[in-house]
Amino acid sequence: DAMVIQNPRYQVTQFGKPVTLSCSQTLNHNVMYWYQQKSSQAPKLLFHYYDKDFNNEADTPDNFQSRRPNTSFCFLDIRSPGLGDAAMYLCATSRATGGYGYTFGSGTRLTVV
Amino acid sequence: LAKTTQPISMDSYEGQEVNITCSHNNIATNDYITWYQQFPSQGPRFIIQGYKTKVTNEVASLFIPADRKSSTLSLPRVSLSDTAVYYCLVFSGNTPLVFGKGTRLSVIA
């Protein structure tokens, strides 16, 4: 089945130690998104790629960066994780930016110790 | 982006129909309304989308009145497995989805 796969499912990192989360898709969708979801809160959009065109949300901290080397893969890099960055990180894809039919991955739960 | 307001939580018994209403008073002409469902520790899942009147699929129905300032997601005969958070979102063609607080639905046996 076509899907969005996030690895790892759980990630533990040390305070200040760079960490990378990965997302891959077999849907051949143009757009890929990264959302951050903290406990009992709604998903918060960090950034998205339309093909190779990167779009950063205004309030996304500089500590968060992203790479999309090809259509299928997208990475979220957290340069110096703080305790406040502990959250579920969700990757999503869609054919176009308008909200129709986003497909989300199962997420990576990041713990910072 | 139109702001959405929906109840924080709802309870229902199994087998009942559940209606979750979302208000979006500032919806623009080109905006669509979409609903997503999220189970704990999973990503949100698309349920249904509409522009006006009524849309029905195998999972739910979406009712949108003529003024489009609100919408109602209807889940027929809910089961325990429908316990989840339901998000109402409004979007236009080129803007990514921005999630509001959502409604936590608890289905009781």
Side-chain angles (χ1 to χ4, degrees):
Chain A
D1 284 341
M3 53 179 35
V4 179
I5 300 167
Q6 292 189 242
N7 284 308
R9 191 83 171 87
Y10 300 93
Q11 175 76 55
V12 179
T13 190
Q14 290 180 334
F15 182 95
K17 184 175 181 182
V19 65
T20 295
L21 310 182
S22 75
C23 177
S24 64
Q25 56 135 337
T26 59
L27 296 158
N28 205 32
H29 281 170
N30 294 324
V31 194
M32 294 186 79
Y33 311 81
W34 282 103
Y35 286 83
Q36 177 194 61
Q37 186 172 27
K38 296 186 177 180
S39 182
S40 300
Q41 295 185 20
K44 177 179 179 294
L45 180 65
L46 294 174
F47 23 60
H48 73 278
Y49 278 92
Y50 194 117
D51 292 328
K52 290 184 184 257
D53 186 22
F54 177 70
N55 298 273
N56 198 29
E57 293 301 297
D59 58 354
T60 298
D62 292 340
N63 199 22
F64 291 85
Q65 314 232 310
S66 184
R67 296 169 283 136
R68 188 179 185 187
N70 54 51
T71 301
S72 302
F73 286 87
C74 195
F75 299 96
L76 170 61
D77 301 309
I78 309 176
R79 290 193 296 187
S80 182
L83 298 178
D85 297 326
M88 174 79 88
Y89 289 88
L90 295 162
C91 174
T93 72
S94 66
R95 277 195 297 272
T97 318
Y100 183 75
Y102 281 27
T103 302
F104 281 83
S106 295
T108 294
R109 183 166 297 283
L110 178 69
T111 301
V112 182
V113 298
Chain B
L1 282 177
K3 183 174 165 18
T4 59
T5 303
Q6 50 185 122
I8 293 174
S9 64
M10 294 180 71
D11 294 333
S12 176
Y13 288 102
E14 272 193 300
Q16 288 189 328
E17 178 184 78
V18 170
N19 296 309
I20 306 174
T21 296
C22 175
S23 68
H24 26 78
N25 291 320
N26 297 325
I27 192 167
T29 304
N30 295 332
D31 289 343
Y32 283 75
I33 299 149
T34 188
W35 286 78
Y36 280 70
Q37 172 193 57
Q38 186 177 25
F39 298 114
S41 299
Q42 292 188 27
R45 183 175 75 103
F46 172 81
I47 302 175
I48 199 165
Q49 174 172 304
Y51 182 79
K52 60 181 177 181
T53 64
K54 177 183 173 183
V55 180
T56 297
N57 62 22
E58 64 277 5
V59 175
S61 295
L62 179 60
F63 299 91
I64 305 169
D67 67 4
R68 303 199 328 120
K69 292 183 185 297
S70 66
S71 59
T72 299
L73 175 73
S74 181
L75 304 171
R77 296 181 300 281
V78 294
S79 64
L80 295 175
S81 63
D82 293 316
T83 294
V85 178
Y86 292 82
Y87 292 99
C88 163
L89 302 104
V90 171
F91 72 94
S92 61
N94 294 321
T95 58
L97 288 181
V98 175
F99 286 78
K101 288 187 169 36
T103 297
R104 187 172 298 275
L105 173 66
S106 298
V107 180
I108 308 159

